[in-house]
Amino acid sequence: MAQKELHSIEELDQFVAGEGKRLLFKHSTICPISTSAYEEFQSFLQEQEVPAAVILVREDRPVSNEVADRFAIKHESPQIFLLDGGQVKWHTSHWKITKDAIVEALKA
């Protein structure tokens, strides 16, 4: 399943309000750690049917900041969130973002 990019707070609102589990990935296009984590995320998405969205933190800073404010979770990049019912059920960052970690989070 392909992910969508979120470029506005309105798009973020719509994504968060969706039903069921969904993944939100904050990505820095200039960071090698983020690139590695993004590849893990993409590998996961090639095998799983989960609604997913990406925020490019440099290009869409207001949206990235809104995530930190809304969920009261310090901004990091890369960073991934598992949302369900509009709430964060799991999140992690940097080298802890792996395909296996995402699979385990969805099972919990």
Side-chain angles (χ1 to χ4, degrees):
M1 176 176 279
Q3 86 271 337
K4 58 178 83 175
E5 287 187 9
L6 305 180
H7 301 289
S8 70
I9 295 193
E10 292 78 21
E11 289 176 334
L12 174 65
D13 290 342
Q14 290 174 359
F15 182 76
V16 170
E19 291 185 23
K21 293 180 180 179
R22 46 200 47 239
L23 294 167
L24 179 60
F25 187 90
K26 290 170 69 174
H27 179 41
S28 172
T29 54
I30 64 166
C31 172
I33 296 170
S34 193
T35 298
S36 178
Y38 185 74
E39 288 170 358
E40 290 282 324
F41 177 59
Q42 292 302 305
S43 178
F44 169 83
L45 291 178
Q46 288 177 3
E47 297 177 9
Q48 302 288 324
E49 292 287 326
V50 177
V54 174
I55 297 169
L56 302 177
V57 298
R58 292 176 54 85
E59 294 82 353
D60 295 306
R61 177 92 47 205
V63 184
S64 177
N65 291 343
E66 176 64 21
V67 171
D69 293 344
R70 182 178 300 191
F71 298 117
I73 297 172
K74 179 183 171 237
H75 165 76
E76 296 187 71
S77 176
Q79 190 171 32
I80 191 168
F81 303 86
L82 172 61
L83 305 172
D84 194 0
Q87 301 296 314
V88 175
K89 301 301 182 184
W90 169 82
H91 67 94
T92 195
S93 67
H94 294 84
W95 295 113
K96 294 178 184 174
I97 300 172
T98 65
K99 179 179 171 183
D100 290 342
I102 300 167
V103 168
E104 289 303 313
L106 282 163
K107 286 181 185 176

